[in-house]
PDB file of all heavy atoms in Angstrom:
ATOM      1  N   LEU A   1       0.832  -1.205   0.000  1.00 97.00           N
ATOM      2  CA  LEU A   1       0.000   0.000   0.000  1.00 97.00           C
ATOM      3  C   LEU A   1       0.872   1.263   0.000  1.00 97.00           C
ATOM      4  O   LEU A   1       0.590   2.229  -0.704  1.00 97.00           O
ATOM      5  CB  LEU A   1      -0.919  -0.010   1.216  1.00 97.00           C
ATOM      6  CG  LEU A   1      -1.903   1.155   1.358  1.00 97.00           C
ATOM      7  CD1 LEU A   1      -2.771   1.302   0.120  1.00 97.00           C
ATOM      8  CD2 LEU A   1      -2.752   0.980   2.602  1.00 97.00           C
ATOM      9  N   ILE A   2       1.937   1.225   0.774  1.00 97.00           N
ATOM     10  CA  ILE A   2       2.862   2.361   0.827  1.00 97.00           C
ATOM     11  C   ILE A   2       3.561   2.553  -0.519  1.00 97.00           C
ATOM     12  O   ILE A   2       3.740   3.682  -0.993  1.00 97.00           O
ATOM     13  CB  ILE A   2       3.870   2.169   1.976  1.00 97.00           C
ATOM     14  CG1 ILE A   2       3.144   2.333   3.318  1.00 97.00           C
ATOM     15  CG2 ILE A   2       5.032   3.165   1.873  1.00 97.00           C
ATOM     16  CD1 ILE A   2       3.927   1.860   4.515  1.00 97.00           C
ATOM     17  N   LYS A   3       3.919   1.446  -1.172  1.00 97.00           N
ATOM     18  CA  LYS A   3       4.517   1.538  -2.517  1.00 97.00           C
ATOM     19  C   LYS A   3       3.524   2.143  -3.503  1.00 97.00           C
ATOM     20  O   LYS A   3       3.884   2.984  -4.337  1.00 97.00           O
ATOM     21  CB  LYS A   3       4.936   0.146  -2.989  1.00 97.00           C
ATOM     22  CG  LYS A   3       6.137  -0.432  -2.262  1.00 97.00           C
ATOM     23  CD  LYS A   3       6.412  -1.854  -2.735  1.00 97.00           C
ATOM     24  CE  LYS A   3       7.520  -2.509  -1.902  1.00 97.00           C
ATOM     25  NZ  LYS A   3       7.709  -3.936  -2.272  1.00 97.00           N
ATOM     26  N   ALA A   4       2.276   1.690  -3.416  1.00 97.00           N
ATOM     27  CA  ALA A   4       1.241   2.226  -4.307  1.00 97.00           C
ATOM     28  C   ALA A   4       1.045   3.716  -4.062  1.00 97.00           C
ATOM     29  O   ALA A   4       0.902   4.511  -5.002  1.00 97.00           O
ATOM     30  CB  ALA A   4      -0.075   1.475  -4.088  1.00 97.00           C
ATOM     31  N   MET A   5       1.067   4.095  -2.809  1.00 97.00           N
ATOM     32  CA  MET A   5       0.909   5.502  -2.453  1.00 97.00           C
ATOM     33  C   MET A   5       2.051   6.333  -3.026  1.00 97.00           C
ATOM     34  O   MET A   5       1.841   7.437  -3.566  1.00 97.00           O
ATOM     35  CB  MET A   5       0.868   5.622  -0.924  1.00 97.00           C
ATOM     36  CG  MET A   5       0.528   6.998  -0.416  1.00 97.00           C
ATOM     37  SD  MET A   5      -1.167   7.467  -0.808  1.00 97.00           S
ATOM     38  CE  MET A   5      -1.168   9.145  -0.185  1.00 97.00           C
ATOM     39  N   ASN A   6       3.265   5.807  -2.913  1.00 97.00           N
ATOM     40  CA  ASN A   6       4.444   6.511  -3.438  1.00 97.00           C
ATOM     41  C   ASN A   6       4.327   6.755  -4.942  1.00 97.00           C
ATOM     42  O   ASN A   6       4.706   7.813  -5.445  1.00 97.00           O
ATOM     43  CB  ASN A   6       5.701   5.694  -3.138  1.00 97.00           C
ATOM     44  CG  ASN A   6       6.973   6.403  -3.553  1.00 97.00           C
ATOM     45  OD1 ASN A   6       7.188   7.567  -3.225  1.00 97.00           O
ATOM     46  ND2 ASN A   6       7.822   5.716  -4.294  1.00 97.00           N
ATOM     47  N   ILE A   7       3.759   5.792  -5.652  1.00 97.00           N
ATOM     48  CA  ILE A   7       3.562   5.939  -7.103  1.00 97.00           C
ATOM     49  C   ILE A   7       2.436   6.939  -7.384  1.00 97.00           C
ATOM     50  O   ILE A   7       2.555   7.810  -8.240  1.00 97.00           O
ATOM     51  CB  ILE A   7       3.229   4.563  -7.739  1.00 97.00           C
ATOM     52  CG1 ILE A   7       4.404   3.599  -7.564  1.00 97.00           C
ATOM     53  CG2 ILE A   7       2.885   4.719  -9.219  1.00 97.00           C
ATOM     54  CD1 ILE A   7       4.058   2.150  -7.873  1.00 97.00           C
ATOM     55  N   ALA A   8       1.348   6.823  -6.626  1.00 97.00           N
ATOM     56  CA  ALA A   8       0.168   7.665  -6.872  1.00 97.00           C
ATOM     57  C   ALA A   8       0.457   9.148  -6.663  1.00 97.00           C
ATOM     58  O   ALA A   8      -0.043   9.993  -7.410  1.00 97.00           O
ATOM     59  CB  ALA A   8      -0.988   7.217  -5.977  1.00 97.00           C
ATOM     60  N   ILE A   9       1.278   9.470  -5.660  1.00 97.00           N
ATOM     61  CA  ILE A   9       1.491  10.890  -5.363  1.00 97.00           C
ATOM     62  C   ILE A   9       2.416  11.573  -6.375  1.00 97.00           C
ATOM     63  O   ILE A   9       2.504  12.799  -6.391  1.00 97.00           O
ATOM     64  CB  ILE A   9       2.040  11.109  -3.934  1.00 97.00           C
ATOM     65  CG1 ILE A   9       3.389  10.420  -3.737  1.00 97.00           C
ATOM     66  CG2 ILE A   9       1.027  10.656  -2.910  1.00 97.00           C
ATOM     67  CD1 ILE A   9       3.985  10.679  -2.364  1.00 97.00           C
ATOM     68  N   LYS A  10       3.067  10.796  -7.224  1.00 96.00           N
ATOM     69  CA  LYS A  10       3.860  11.413  -8.290  1.00 96.00           C
ATOM     70  C   LYS A  10       2.942  12.158  -9.267  1.00 96.00           C
ATOM     71  O   LYS A  10       3.314  13.180  -9.841  1.00 96.00           O
ATOM     72  CB  LYS A  10       4.681  10.352  -9.012  1.00 96.00           C
ATOM     73  CG  LYS A  10       5.860   9.836  -8.182  1.00 96.00           C
ATOM     74  CD  LYS A  10       6.637   8.773  -8.927  1.00 96.00           C
ATOM     75  CE  LYS A  10       7.945   8.445  -8.215  1.00 96.00           C
ATOM     76  NZ  LYS A  10       7.795   8.019  -6.837  1.00 96.00           N
ATOM     77  N   GLU A  11       1.728  11.632  -9.438  1.00 95.00           N
ATOM     78  CA  GLU A  11       0.717  12.303 -10.271  1.00 95.00           C
ATOM     79  C   GLU A  11      -0.141  13.256  -9.450  1.00 95.00           C
ATOM     80  O   GLU A  11      -0.621  14.271  -9.952  1.00 95.00           O
ATOM     81  CB  GLU A  11      -0.163  11.240 -10.950  1.00 95.00           C
ATOM     82  CG  GLU A  11      -1.248  11.814 -11.840  1.00 95.00           C
ATOM     83  CD  GLU A  11      -2.137  10.728 -12.440  1.00 95.00           C
ATOM     84  OE1 GLU A  11      -1.628   9.617 -12.727  1.00 95.00           O
ATOM     85  OE2 GLU A  11      -3.337  10.990 -12.616  1.00 95.00           O
ATOM     86  N   ASN A  12      -0.327  12.912  -8.174  1.00 97.00           N
ATOM     87  CA  ASN A  12      -1.212  13.696  -7.298  1.00 97.00           C
ATOM     88  C   ASN A  12      -0.466  13.998  -5.988  1.00 97.00           C
ATOM     89  O   ASN A  12      -0.679  13.330  -4.968  1.00 97.00           O
ATOM     90  CB  ASN A  12      -2.488  12.890  -7.036  1.00 97.00           C
ATOM     91  CG  ASN A  12      -3.504  13.642  -6.214  1.00 97.00           C
ATOM     92  OD1 ASN A  12      -3.269  14.768  -5.763  1.00 97.00           O
ATOM     93  ND2 ASN A  12      -4.654  13.019  -5.970  1.00 97.00           N
ATOM     94  N   PRO A  13       0.406  15.007  -5.976  1.00 97.00           N
ATOM     95  CA  PRO A  13       1.304  15.259  -4.835  1.00 97.00           C
ATOM     96  C   PRO A  13       0.604  15.550  -3.515  1.00 97.00           C
ATOM     97  O   PRO A  13       1.212  15.366  -2.453  1.00 97.00           O
ATOM     98  CB  PRO A  13       2.115  16.485  -5.298  1.00 97.00           C
ATOM     99  CG  PRO A  13       1.995  16.488  -6.777  1.00 97.00           C
ATOM    100  CD  PRO A  13       0.645  15.936  -7.091  1.00 97.00           C
ATOM    101  N   ASN A  14      -0.632  16.001  -3.540  1.00 97.00           N
ATOM    102  CA  ASN A  14      -1.336  16.353  -2.297  1.00 97.00           C
ATOM    103  C   ASN A  14      -2.212  15.215  -1.758  1.00 97.00           C
ATOM    104  O   ASN A  14      -2.932  15.393  -0.769  1.00 97.00           O
ATOM    105  CB  ASN A  14      -2.200  17.595  -2.527  1.00 97.00           C
ATOM    106  CG  ASN A  14      -1.347  18.827  -2.813  1.00 97.00           C
ATOM    107  OD1 ASN A  14      -0.309  19.034  -2.188  1.00 97.00           O
ATOM    108  ND2 ASN A  14      -1.773  19.630  -3.780  1.00 97.00           N
ATOM    109  N   LEU A  15      -2.168  14.064  -2.400  1.00 98.00           N
ATOM    110  CA  LEU A  15      -2.964  12.916  -1.959  1.00 98.00           C
ATOM    111  C   LEU A  15      -2.532  12.480  -0.558  1.00 98.00           C
ATOM    112  O   LEU A  15      -1.351  12.388  -0.248  1.00 98.00           O
ATOM    113  CB  LEU A  15      -2.776  11.749  -2.938  1.00 98.00           C
ATOM    114  CG  LEU A  15      -3.568  10.471  -2.644  1.00 98.00           C
ATOM    115  CD1 LEU A  15      -5.062  10.703  -2.829  1.00 98.00           C
ATOM    116  CD2 LEU A  15      -3.083   9.343  -3.563  1.00 98.00           C
ATOM    117  N   LYS A  16      -3.517  12.171   0.299  1.00 98.00           N
ATOM    118  CA  LYS A  16      -3.257  11.723   1.664  1.00 98.00           C
ATOM    119  C   LYS A  16      -3.701  10.270   1.839  1.00 98.00           C
ATOM    120  O   LYS A  16      -4.700   9.830   1.262  1.00 98.00           O
ATOM    121  CB  LYS A  16      -4.025  12.584   2.662  1.00 98.00           C
ATOM    122  CG  LYS A  16      -3.540  14.022   2.776  1.00 98.00           C
ATOM    123  CD  LYS A  16      -2.298  14.103   3.641  1.00 98.00           C
ATOM    124  CE  LYS A  16      -1.936  15.540   3.997  1.00 98.00           C
ATOM    125  NZ  LYS A  16      -1.531  16.364   2.851  1.00 98.00           N
ATOM    126  N   LEU A  17      -2.921   9.542   2.645  1.00 98.00           N
ATOM    127  CA  LEU A  17      -3.306   8.195   3.064  1.00 98.00           C
ATOM    128  C   LEU A  17      -3.421   8.184   4.578  1.00 98.00           C
ATOM    129  O   LEU A  17      -2.474   8.521   5.287  1.00 98.00           O
ATOM    130  CB  LEU A  17      -2.269   7.158   2.641  1.00 98.00           C
ATOM    131  CG  LEU A  17      -2.375   5.769   3.318  1.00 98.00           C
ATOM    132  CD1 LEU A  17      -3.686   5.075   2.963  1.00 98.00           C
ATOM    133  CD2 LEU A  17      -1.181   4.886   2.952  1.00 98.00           C
ATOM    134  N   TYR A  18      -4.596   7.800   5.086  1.00 98.00           N
ATOM    135  CA  TYR A  18      -4.778   7.579   6.516  1.00 98.00           C
ATOM    136  C   TYR A  18      -4.624   6.082   6.770  1.00 98.00           C
ATOM    137  O   TYR A  18      -5.459   5.285   6.326  1.00 98.00           O
ATOM    138  CB  TYR A  18      -6.159   8.049   6.973  1.00 98.00           C
ATOM    139  CG  TYR A  18      -6.422   9.522   6.712  1.00 98.00           C
ATOM    140  CD1 TYR A  18      -7.467   9.928   5.876  1.00 98.00           C
ATOM    141  CD2 TYR A  18      -5.619  10.505   7.285  1.00 98.00           C
ATOM    142  CE1 TYR A  18      -7.704  11.274   5.640  1.00 98.00           C
ATOM    143  CE2 TYR A  18      -5.856  11.855   7.048  1.00 98.00           C
ATOM    144  CZ  TYR A  18      -6.897  12.228   6.218  1.00 98.00           C
ATOM    145  OH  TYR A  18      -7.120  13.568   5.981  1.00 98.00           O
ATOM    146  N   LEU A  19      -3.551   5.690   7.444  1.00 97.00           N
ATOM    147  CA  LEU A  19      -3.291   4.288   7.744  1.00 97.00           C
ATOM    148  C   LEU A  19      -3.518   4.078   9.238  1.00 97.00           C
ATOM    149  O   LEU A  19      -2.679   4.424  10.070  1.00 97.00           O
ATOM    150  CB  LEU A  19      -1.854   3.922   7.339  1.00 97.00           C
ATOM    151  CG  LEU A  19      -1.411   2.473   7.544  1.00 97.00           C
ATOM    152  CD1 LEU A  19      -2.394   1.497   6.905  1.00 97.00           C
ATOM    153  CD2 LEU A  19      -0.006   2.267   6.997  1.00 97.00           C
ATOM    154  N   LEU A  20      -4.674   3.516   9.572  1.00 96.00           N
ATOM    155  CA  LEU A  20      -5.119   3.419  10.962  1.00 96.00           C
ATOM    156  C   LEU A  20      -4.859   2.032  11.517  1.00 96.00           C
ATOM    157  O   LEU A  20      -5.155   1.023  10.859  1.00 96.00           O
ATOM    158  CB  LEU A  20      -6.615   3.725  11.066  1.00 96.00           C
ATOM    159  CG  LEU A  20      -7.064   5.187  11.083  1.00 96.00           C
ATOM    160  CD1 LEU A  20      -6.499   5.982   9.920  1.00 96.00           C
ATOM    161  CD2 LEU A  20      -8.586   5.277  11.091  1.00 96.00           C
ATOM    162  N   GLY A  21      -4.336   1.981  12.737  1.00 92.00           N
ATOM    163  CA  GLY A  21      -4.111   0.704  13.386  1.00 92.00           C
ATOM    164  C   GLY A  21      -2.743   0.632  14.036  1.00 92.00           C
ATOM    165  O   GLY A  21      -1.921   1.537  13.900  1.00 92.00           O
ATOM    166  N   ASP A  22      -2.507  -0.463  14.730  1.00 91.00           N
ATOM    167  CA  ASP A  22      -1.223  -0.683  15.391  1.00 91.00           C
ATOM    168  C   ASP A  22      -0.857  -2.157  15.238  1.00 91.00           C
ATOM    169  O   ASP A  22      -1.696  -2.976  14.848  1.00 91.00           O
ATOM    170  CB  ASP A  22      -1.309  -0.303  16.870  1.00 91.00           C
ATOM    171  CG  ASP A  22       0.026   0.141  17.422  1.00 91.00           C
ATOM    172  OD1 ASP A  22       1.062  -0.127  16.774  1.00 91.00           O
ATOM    173  OD2 ASP A  22       0.054   0.764  18.501  1.00 91.00           O
ATOM    174  N   GLY A  23       0.390  -2.483  15.532  1.00 89.00           N
ATOM    175  CA  GLY A  23       0.806  -3.862  15.403  1.00 89.00           C
ATOM    176  C   GLY A  23       2.300  -3.993  15.215  1.00 89.00           C
ATOM    177  O   GLY A  23       3.041  -3.000  15.229  1.00 89.00           O
ATOM    178  N   PRO A  24       2.771  -5.216  15.007  1.00 91.00           N
ATOM    179  CA  PRO A  24       4.215  -5.499  14.984  1.00 91.00           C
ATOM    180  C   PRO A  24       4.982  -4.827  13.846  1.00 91.00           C
ATOM    181  O   PRO A  24       6.199  -4.664  13.947  1.00 91.00           O
ATOM    182  CB  PRO A  24       4.273  -7.029  14.853  1.00 91.00           C
ATOM    183  CG  PRO A  24       2.952  -7.431  14.297  1.00 91.00           C
ATOM    184  CD  PRO A  24       1.975  -6.452  14.852  1.00 91.00           C
ATOM    185  N   GLU A  25       4.310  -4.437  12.778  1.00 94.00           N
ATOM    186  CA  GLU A  25       5.017  -3.824  11.649  1.00 94.00           C
ATOM    187  C   GLU A  25       5.019  -2.291  11.678  1.00 94.00           C
ATOM    188  O   GLU A  25       5.471  -1.662  10.721  1.00 94.00           O
ATOM    189  CB  GLU A  25       4.410  -4.298  10.320  1.00 94.00           C
ATOM    190  CG  GLU A  25       4.803  -5.698   9.923  1.00 94.00           C
ATOM    191  CD  GLU A  25       4.853  -5.873   8.421  1.00 94.00           C
ATOM    192  OE1 GLU A  25       3.911  -5.448   7.727  1.00 94.00           O
ATOM    193  OE2 GLU A  25       5.841  -6.435   7.926  1.00 94.00           O
ATOM    194  N   ARG A  26       4.547  -1.717  12.765  1.00 94.00           N
ATOM    195  CA  ARG A  26       4.428  -0.255  12.805  1.00 94.00           C
ATOM    196  C   ARG A  26       5.754   0.455  12.505  1.00 94.00           C
ATOM    197  O   ARG A  26       5.814   1.338  11.638  1.00 94.00           O
ATOM    198  CB  ARG A  26       3.893   0.189  14.170  1.00 94.00           C
ATOM    199  CG  ARG A  26       3.689   1.706  14.250  1.00 94.00           C
ATOM    200  CD  ARG A  26       3.029   2.126  15.552  1.00 94.00           C
ATOM    201  NE  ARG A  26       2.836   3.561  15.604  1.00 94.00           N
ATOM    202  CZ  ARG A  26       1.857   4.223  15.025  1.00 94.00           C
ATOM    203  NH1 ARG A  26       0.937   3.563  14.342  1.00 94.00           N
ATOM    204  NH2 ARG A  26       1.762   5.534  15.113  1.00 94.00           N
ATOM    205  N   GLU A  27       6.814   0.092  13.193  1.00 95.00           N
ATOM    206  CA  GLU A  27       8.109   0.770  12.998  1.00 95.00           C
ATOM    207  C   GLU A  27       8.680   0.500  11.619  1.00 95.00           C
ATOM    208  O   GLU A  27       9.273   1.389  11.000  1.00 95.00           O
ATOM    209  CB  GLU A  27       9.087   0.359  14.095  1.00 95.00           C
ATOM    210  CG  GLU A  27       8.696   0.840  15.493  1.00 95.00           C
ATOM    211  CD  GLU A  27       8.435   2.346  15.537  1.00 95.00           C
ATOM    212  OE1 GLU A  27       9.254   3.108  14.970  1.00 95.00           O
ATOM    213  OE2 GLU A  27       7.413   2.752  16.126  1.00 95.00           O
TER     214      GLU A  27
END
């Protein structure tokens, strides 16, 4: 999802992603 976001914002620099939650992969 983060990779997809990185690609998407190249066309839409102001796009926001709200990633809600916690867990072992947070850091």
Side-chain angles (χ1 to χ4, degrees):
L1 182 55
I2 290 166
K3 289 176 186 175
M5 188 67 184
N6 184 50
I7 297 167
I9 61 177
K10 287 179 170 57
E11 180 183 326
N12 184 357
N14 294 319
L15 181 68
K16 291 281 191 294
L17 165 64
Y18 301 119
L19 182 52
L20 279 52
D22 208 344
E25 284 211 313
R26 183 174 180 81
E27 293 307 314

